[in-house]
Amino acid sequence: MRGEHDSPAGGTPRLGPLLKAPSIAPAPSATPGATRTQGRPLLTAPRRRPTFAGRAGHLPCLGPPRALAGGEPRRSPTLTVAADAGPVARPAAPGAALAHRRDVDGLRAVAVLPVILFHAGVPAFAGGWLGVDVFFVISGYLITGILLRDLERGRFSVARFYERRARRIVPALAFVLLACIPFGLAWMSPPQLAELARGTIAAALSVSNILYWLQLDYFGPVAERLPLLHTWSLGVEEQFYLLFPLALAFLWRRSGPSGAGLALPFLLAGALSLAAAAWAFATHPSAGFFLLPFRAWELLAGAGVAVAATRSAAPCGLRAGAGLAAILAAIAAIPLGLLTSLPAMALASAGAALLLRHGAPGLAASRLLAHPLPVGVGLVSYSAYLWHQPMLAFARIRLGDDLPLWATAAIGLAAILVAWPTWALVEQPFRRRGPGAPARPLAWAGATLAGLAALGAAGVATGGLATAQPPAVRAILATITDVNPWRESCKTGLAEANPTHPRPGCLLPGDGPKVAFWGDSHADTLQGALFPAAEAAGLPFYSVTRSACPPVPGLTRTGDAASPGCDEFNRGVEAYVLADGYAVAVLAARWSAGIGWAPFDNLDGGVDPRPGDVLTPIGAAPPDEAARAESVIARMTGAVRDLLDRGLRVVLVYPIPEAGWNVPEELARRRAESEAPVTLSIPAEAYARRNAAIVAAFDALDHPRLWRVRPAETFCDGPVPGRCVQSLGDQPLYFDESHLNNAGARLLAPAIVEAIEAARRDAAP
């Protein structure tokens, strides 16, 4: 997330002058703060107003650069400001067009603040993650500009480039990674600590994006509790810059001194990456978000702007203002539902590119961004970005996921305060060449990252220091992996909109009426008990599930956990079941999760931290939330009636009680403080409130071929009156916040099998 903006000599802007800067100040040259040579201004044009839009509203903007006298191509103009005049254009030395720009520092603030508020859970900034896209464009612009300047001056060196990257990236990153360790040891459970260790290894090796792409599925760790989740963007950048400098140098040498041949390769590569991103977001959205091939177009957009800027300047107040407006509009459009992910990313990236290409001192948008406040935030944006996610994640781990909004927003913004000393005491000393800086920065950076990776490996090898826990606590935490063994084969991936049926390994042979079982991830957790029970009873049994998709055609899921292809999946299963002569359909789902936006609150201090999302009828646009919820419930009951009308017997499994917290971790925490086993439970009232609407709708169904299974009768008002149990002593019944483990599934399976047997008897000739 860090672009490079200092001078070739390693100079860096200082905060003091920025905080005191007047509204009009001399523009920086290639070395920030140095605006004169031998006491005289650098080559400066006569004091007159430029012909381009130097002030807001002055049009038209500059067209293509004109030739100077003698037919020589015009050099890229940059701007300086005289004390008694407006902006003045002046010819500049090669590369000067990419000199340090205060408005780019301000643009960093526009990028980092929405990201922080997004991770803090501020609803108005549900699109704040687009700040990362803006950072990618800035990074491509700045780093390409520096590389082009080095190539033009004949001093390009791969080793020098990576030395510069090491000085900028590694010190603050290593400091934050090390700072996470004591908080992890104090507040994290062994599984969480092991996850932190994996994140440390990935961050040190610049592969965090790959790690979280592989891990963050519906059953993966909760994103809000991952202190190092945000380092995925660093992984994307560093992977891009592994080969980009060499590719740029190769293209530069082939294109000649003008660099005219760079534009087409950049354009083609960016278009290819953007097309790949469109495919990925439609079929593999997690890969589209995390992986470099589907993100490279944003970095290349910034690189393309840098190439254009070295050939000619194009200051234009209207276009720069439109760019800033586009960024803000994209961020605002996400919570309003006006744009989906990729179009919003494209709009924000295009806005950043416009502002970088057409912004200049004196223009309205640039003056706004060059104000001392956004510049000050922008200068510490890298450290602020590094700090905000660990601070928020550890607060949620320590204090719970139901922190009030003002608290999470305050914690997130406090990262900016922590970033200032990190910038001054960690970033700056290592970025300067001279006394106190490492003599061999690449070796130092490599050793530091290797040491961090070794620490992470030790954490993974010890299971997050699990052996330090009492045996009872270790046994409880081990149940986190007690999941349905048929998940990998019988739960379809999100990319399989309409898989072929029957899926291999998911169909049991048997005699008599055939049984089909399908639903979402709550149904999936029951397979570990139903497959053995069906096999023991000799039932012809087929099971297939899909995360986030209840067994209801005509619905799609929208929101943070959007799951493409639910309708296609359900219609495909129904078609197979009807065509192959199944007699009994068993339906199970987390029915209430898609009816309303609110996460489950267990009334004992636990709130499900999973992202909110809802179900929406396909082909309908309900006028308000109440109408949408009613139409979703109507589709659910309609799906049951449709199967009944087609002659099937239906076993309807009512909602399984949710937990509201990670059951093994919460039980382990309480067991560590107790001498005796603890039965974890929540008020039955929480279940009743959560599921009142769907239970009432299901109760209203009346048909002789309908059998009902009520999980609340198994888990609630039994072992603990008035409460729903989540463990029986030291045995958890869930492996996370809402999904039954195999022990929990075995408790519920007899009631389901009994209903199946009754339905099969009714279907027998």
Side-chain angles (χ1 to χ4, degrees), residues 458-513:
V460 173
T462 60
L465 303 180
T467 55
Q469 299 288 337
V473 174
R474 293 204 304 271
I476 290 170
L477 292 171
T479 64
I480 289 176
T481 60
D482 182 26
V483 298
N484 156 40
W486 279 269
R487 179 200 292 179
E488 294 300 322
S489 55
C490 302
K491 181 174 75 71
T492 67
L494 298 183
E496 300 177 86
N498 190 5
T500 302
H501 299 286
R503 292 180 65 83
C506 303
L507 175 63
L508 295 178
D511 298 323

Coordinates of all heavy atoms in Angstrom, one line a residue, residues 458-513:
A458 N 7.3 -21.1 14.0 CA 7.2 -21.7 15.4 C 5.8 -21.7 16.0 O 5.4 -22.6 16.6 CB 8.2 -20.9 16.3
G459 N 5.1 -20.6 15.7 CA 3.7 -20.5 16.2 C 2.8 -21.5 15.5 O 2.0 -22.1 16.2
V460 N 3.0 -21.8 14.2 CA 2.2 -22.8 13.5 C 2.6 -24.2 14.0 O 1.7 -25.0 14.3 CB 2.4 -22.7 12.0 CG1 1.8 -23.8 11.3 CG2 1.9 -21.3 11.5
A461 N 3.9 -24.4 14.2 CA 4.3 -25.8 14.6 C 3.8 -26.1 16.0 O 3.5 -27.3 16.3 CB 5.9 -25.8 14.6
T462 N 3.7 -25.1 16.9 CA 3.2 -25.4 18.2 C 1.7 -25.3 18.3 O 1.1 -25.4 19.5 CB 3.8 -24.5 19.2 OG1 3.5 -23.1 18.9 CG2 5.4 -24.7 19.2
G463 N 1.0 -25.1 17.2 CA -0.5 -24.9 17.3 C -0.9 -23.7 18.0 O -1.9 -23.7 18.7
G464 N -0.1 -22.6 17.9 CA -0.4 -21.5 18.7 C -0.2 -21.7 20.2 O -0.9 -21.2 21.0
L465 N 0.9 -22.4 20.5 CA 1.3 -22.7 21.9 C 0.2 -23.5 22.6 O -0.1 -23.3 23.8 CB 1.7 -21.4 22.7 CG 2.8 -20.6 22.1 CD1 3.0 -19.3 22.9 CD2 4.1 -21.4 21.9
A466 N -0.5 -24.4 21.8 CA -1.6 -25.1 22.4 C -1.2 -26.0 23.6 O -2.0 -26.2 24.5 CB -2.2 -26.0 21.3
T467 N 0.1 -26.4 23.6 CA 0.5 -27.3 24.7 C 0.6 -26.6 26.0 O 0.6 -27.2 27.1 CB 1.9 -27.9 24.4 OG1 2.8 -26.8 24.1 CG2 1.8 -28.8 23.2
A468 N 0.5 -25.3 26.0 CA 0.5 -24.5 27.3 C -0.8 -24.5 27.9 O -0.9 -24.1 29.1 CB 1.0 -23.1 27.0
Q469 N -1.9 -25.0 27.2 CA -3.2 -25.0 27.7 C -3.5 -26.3 28.5 O -2.9 -27.3 28.3 CB -4.2 -24.9 26.6 CG -4.1 -23.6 25.8 CD -4.6 -22.4 26.5 OE1 -5.4 -22.5 27.5 NE2 -4.2 -21.2 26.1
P470 N -4.4 -26.2 29.5 CA -4.7 -27.5 30.2 C -5.3 -28.5 29.2 O -5.9 -28.1 28.2 CB -5.8 -27.0 31.2 CG -5.6 -25.5 31.4 CD -5.0 -25.1 30.0
P471 N -5.2 -29.8 29.5 CA -5.7 -30.8 28.6 C -7.2 -30.7 28.2 O -7.5 -30.9 27.1 CB -5.5 -32.1 29.4 CG -4.3 -31.8 30.3 CD -4.5 -30.4 30.7
A472 N -8.0 -30.3 29.2 CA -9.4 -30.1 28.9 C -9.7 -29.0 27.9 O -10.5 -29.1 26.9 CB -10.2 -29.8 30.1
V473 N -8.9 -27.9 28.0 CA -9.0 -26.8 27.1 C -8.5 -27.2 25.7 O -9.1 -26.9 24.7 CB -8.3 -25.6 27.6 CG1 -8.3 -24.4 26.6 CG2 -8.9 -25.1 28.9
R474 N -7.4 -27.9 25.6 CA -6.9 -28.4 24.3 C -7.9 -29.3 23.6 O -8.1 -29.2 22.4 CB -5.6 -29.1 24.5 CG -4.4 -28.2 25.0 CD -3.1 -28.8 24.7 NE -2.9 -30.2 25.2 CZ -2.4 -30.4 26.4 NH1 -2.0 -29.4 27.2 NH2 -2.2 -31.7 26.8
A475 N -8.5 -30.1 24.4 CA -9.5 -31.1 23.8 C -10.7 -30.3 23.2 O -11.2 -30.6 22.1 CB -10.0 -32.1 24.8
I476 N -11.1 -29.2 23.9 CA -12.2 -28.4 23.4 C -11.9 -27.7 22.1 O -12.6 -27.7 21.1 CB -12.7 -27.4 24.5 CG1 -13.3 -28.1 25.7 CG2 -13.6 -26.4 23.9 CD1 -13.6 -27.2 26.9
L477 N -10.7 -27.1 22.1 CA -10.2 -26.4 20.9 C -10.0 -27.3 19.7 O -10.1 -26.9 18.6 CB -9.0 -25.6 21.2 CG -9.2 -24.5 22.2 CD1 -7.8 -23.9 22.6 CD2 -10.1 -23.4 21.6
A478 N -9.7 -28.6 20.0 CA -9.4 -29.5 18.9 C -10.7 -29.8 18.1 O -10.7 -30.2 17.0 CB -8.9 -30.8 19.5
T479 N -11.9 -29.5 18.7 CA -13.2 -29.8 18.0 C -13.4 -28.8 16.9 O -14.4 -29.0 16.2 CB -14.3 -29.8 19.0 OG1 -14.5 -28.5 19.6 CG2 -14.1 -30.8 20.1
I480 N -12.6 -27.8 16.8 CA -12.8 -26.8 15.7 C -12.7 -27.5 14.4 O -13.3 -27.1 13.4 CB -11.8 -25.7 15.8 CG1 -12.2 -24.8 17.0 CG2 -11.7 -24.8 14.6 CD1 -11.2 -23.7 17.3
T481 N -12.0 -28.6 14.3 CA -11.8 -29.3 13.1 C -12.8 -30.5 13.0 O -12.7 -31.3 12.0 CB -10.4 -29.9 13.0 OG1 -10.1 -30.7 14.1 CG2 -9.4 -28.7 13.0
D482 N -13.7 -30.6 13.9 CA -14.7 -31.7 13.9 C -15.8 -31.4 12.9 O -16.9 -31.1 13.3 CB -15.2 -32.0 15.3 CG -16.2 -33.2 15.3 OD1 -16.1 -34.1 14.5 OD2 -17.1 -33.2 16.2
V483 N -15.5 -31.5 11.6 CA -16.5 -31.1 10.6 C -16.9 -32.2 9.8 O -16.2 -33.3 9.7 CB -15.9 -29.9 9.7 CG1 -15.6 -28.7 10.6 CG2 -14.7 -30.4 9.0
N484 N -18.0 -32.1 9.0 CA -18.5 -33.1 8.2 C -17.5 -33.6 7.2 O -17.0 -32.8 6.3 CB -19.8 -32.5 7.5 CG -20.1 -33.2 6.2 OD1 -20.0 -34.4 6.1 ND2 -20.5 -32.4 5.2
P485 N -17.2 -34.9 7.2 CA -16.1 -35.4 6.2 C -16.6 -35.4 4.8 O -15.8 -35.6 3.9 CB -15.9 -36.8 6.8 CG -17.1 -37.2 7.5 CD -17.6 -35.9 8.1
W486 N -17.9 -35.3 4.5 CA -18.4 -35.2 3.2 C -18.4 -33.8 2.6 O -18.9 -33.6 1.5 CB -19.9 -35.8 3.1 CG -19.9 -37.3 3.1 CD1 -19.9 -38.1 2.0 CD2 -19.9 -38.2 4.3 NE1 -19.9 -39.4 2.4 CE2 -19.9 -39.5 3.8 CE3 -19.9 -37.9 5.6 CZ2 -20.0 -40.6 4.6 CZ3 -19.9 -39.0 6.5 CH2 -19.9 -40.3 6.0
R487 N -17.9 -32.8 3.3 CA -18.0 -31.5 2.9 C -17.3 -31.3 1.5 O -17.8 -30.6 0.6 CB -17.4 -30.5 3.9 CG -17.5 -29.0 3.5 CD -16.5 -28.2 4.2 NE -16.9 -28.0 5.6 CZ -16.1 -27.3 6.4 NH1 -15.1 -26.7 6.0 NH2 -16.5 -27.2 7.7
E488 N -16.1 -31.8 1.4 CA -15.3 -31.6 0.2 C -16.0 -32.1 -1.0 O -15.8 -31.6 -2.1 CB -13.9 -32.1 0.4 CG -13.1 -31.4 1.5 CD -12.9 -30.0 1.2 OE1 -12.7 -29.6 0.0 OE2 -13.0 -29.2 2.1
S489 N -16.7 -33.2 -0.9 CA -17.3 -33.8 -2.1 C -18.7 -33.5 -2.3 O -19.1 -33.4 -3.5 CB -17.2 -35.4 -2.0 OG -17.8 -35.8 -0.8
C490 N -19.5 -33.2 -1.3 CA -20.9 -33.0 -1.4 C -21.4 -31.6 -1.2 O -22.6 -31.3 -1.3 CB -21.7 -34.0 -0.5 SG -21.3 -35.7 -0.8
K491 N -20.5 -30.7 -0.9 CA -20.8 -29.3 -0.8 C -20.2 -28.6 -2.0 O -19.0 -28.6 -2.2 CB -20.3 -28.6 0.5 CG -20.7 -27.1 0.6 CD -20.3 -26.5 1.9 CE -18.8 -26.3 2.0 NZ -18.4 -25.2 1.1
T492 N -21.0 -28.1 -2.9 CA -20.5 -27.6 -4.2 C -19.8 -26.3 -4.0 O -20.2 -25.5 -3.1 CB -21.6 -27.4 -5.2 OG1 -22.5 -26.4 -4.8 CG2 -22.4 -28.7 -5.4
G493 N -18.8 -26.0 -4.8 CA -18.1 -24.7 -4.8 C -19.0 -23.6 -5.4 O -19.9 -23.9 -6.2
L494 N -18.7 -22.4 -5.0 CA -19.5 -21.3 -5.5 C -19.3 -21.1 -7.0 O -20.2 -20.5 -7.6 CB -19.0 -20.0 -4.8 CG -19.3 -20.0 -3.3 CD1 -18.9 -18.6 -2.7 CD2 -20.7 -20.3 -2.9
A495 N -18.3 -21.6 -7.6 CA -18.1 -21.5 -9.1 C -19.0 -22.5 -9.8 O -19.2 -22.4 -11.0 CB -16.7 -21.7 -9.4
E496 N -19.5 -23.5 -9.1 CA -20.3 -24.5 -9.8 C -21.8 -24.1 -9.7 O -22.5 -24.6 -8.8 CB -20.1 -25.9 -9.2 CG -18.7 -26.4 -9.2 CD -18.5 -27.7 -8.5 OE1 -18.7 -28.7 -9.1 OE2 -18.2 -27.7 -7.3
A497 N -22.2 -23.3 -10.6 CA -23.6 -22.8 -10.5 C -24.6 -23.9 -10.7 O -25.6 -24.0 -10.0 CB -23.9 -21.7 -11.6
N498 N -24.4 -24.9 -11.6 CA -25.3 -26.0 -11.8 C -24.5 -27.3 -12.0 O -24.3 -27.7 -13.1 CB -26.2 -25.7 -13.0 CG -27.3 -26.7 -13.1 OD1 -27.5 -27.5 -12.2 ND2 -28.1 -26.6 -14.2
P499 N -24.0 -27.9 -10.9 CA -23.2 -29.1 -11.0 C -23.9 -30.3 -11.6 O -25.2 -30.3 -11.6 CB -22.7 -29.3 -9.6 CG -23.8 -28.8 -8.8 CD -24.3 -27.6 -9.5
T500 N -23.2 -31.2 -12.1 CA -23.8 -32.5 -12.6 C -24.2 -33.3 -11.4 O -23.5 -33.5 -10.5 CB -22.8 -33.2 -13.5 OG1 -22.4 -32.3 -14.6 CG2 -23.4 -34.5 -14.1
H501 N -25.4 -33.9 -11.6 CA -25.9 -34.8 -10.5 C -26.1 -36.3 -11.1 O -26.3 -36.4 -12.3 CB -27.3 -34.3 -10.0 CG -27.2 -33.0 -9.4 ND1 -26.7 -32.7 -8.2 CD2 -27.6 -31.8 -9.9 CE1 -26.8 -31.4 -7.9 NE2 -27.3 -30.8 -9.0
P502 N -25.8 -37.3 -10.2 CA -25.4 -37.2 -8.8 C -23.9 -36.9 -8.7 O -23.1 -37.4 -9.6 CB -25.8 -38.5 -8.3 CG -25.7 -39.4 -9.4 CD -26.1 -38.7 -10.6
R503 N -23.5 -36.2 -7.7 CA -22.1 -36.0 -7.5 C -21.4 -37.2 -7.0 O -22.0 -38.0 -6.2 CB -21.9 -34.8 -6.5 CG -22.3 -33.5 -7.0 CD -22.1 -32.4 -6.0 NE -20.7 -32.2 -5.7 CZ -19.8 -31.4 -6.4 NH1 -20.3 -30.8 -7.5 NH2 -18.6 -31.3 -6.1
P504 N -20.2 -37.5 -7.5 CA -19.5 -38.7 -7.0 C -19.3 -38.8 -5.5 O -19.0 -37.8 -4.9 CB -18.1 -38.6 -7.7 CG -18.4 -37.7 -8.9 CD -19.4 -36.8 -8.4
G505 N -19.6 -39.9 -4.9 CA -19.5 -40.1 -3.5 C -20.6 -39.6 -2.6 O -20.5 -39.6 -1.4
C506 N -21.7 -39.0 -3.3 CA -22.7 -38.4 -2.5 C -24.1 -39.2 -2.6 O -25.1 -38.7 -2.1 CB -23.0 -37.0 -3.0 SG -21.5 -36.0 -2.9
L507 N -24.0 -40.3 -3.3 CA -25.2 -41.1 -3.5 C -25.0 -42.5 -2.9 O -24.1 -43.2 -3.3 CB -25.6 -41.2 -5.0 CG -26.7 -42.2 -5.4 CD1 -28.0 -41.6 -4.8 CD2 -26.8 -42.3 -6.9
L508 N -25.9 -42.9 -1.9 CA -25.8 -44.2 -1.3 C -26.9 -45.1 -2.0 O -28.1 -44.7 -2.1 CB -26.1 -44.1 0.2 CG -25.1 -43.4 1.0 CD1 -25.5 -43.3 2.5 CD2 -23.7 -44.0 0.9
P509 N -26.5 -46.3 -2.3 CA -27.5 -47.2 -2.9 C -28.5 -47.8 -1.8 O -28.1 -47.8 -0.6 CB -26.7 -48.3 -3.6 CG -25.4 -48.3 -2.7 CD -25.2 -46.9 -2.3
G510 N -29.6 -48.3 -2.2 CA -30.5 -48.9 -1.3 C -31.8 -49.3 -1.9 O -32.0 -49.0 -3.2
D511 N -32.7 -49.9 -1.2 CA -34.0 -50.3 -1.7 C -35.1 -49.4 -1.3 O -35.0 -48.8 -0.2 CB -34.3 -51.8 -1.2 CG -33.2 -52.7 -1.7 OD1 -32.7 -52.6 -2.9 OD2 -32.8 -53.6 -0.9
G512 N -36.2 -49.4 -2.1 CA -37.3 -48.6 -1.7 C -37.3 -47.2 -2.1 O -36.4 -46.8 -2.9
P513 N -38.2 -46.4 -1.7 CA -38.3 -45.0 -2.1 C -37.0 -44.2 -1.8 O -36.4 -44.3 -0.8 CB -39.5 -44.4 -1.3 CG -40.3 -45.6 -0.9 CD -39.3 -46.7 -0.8

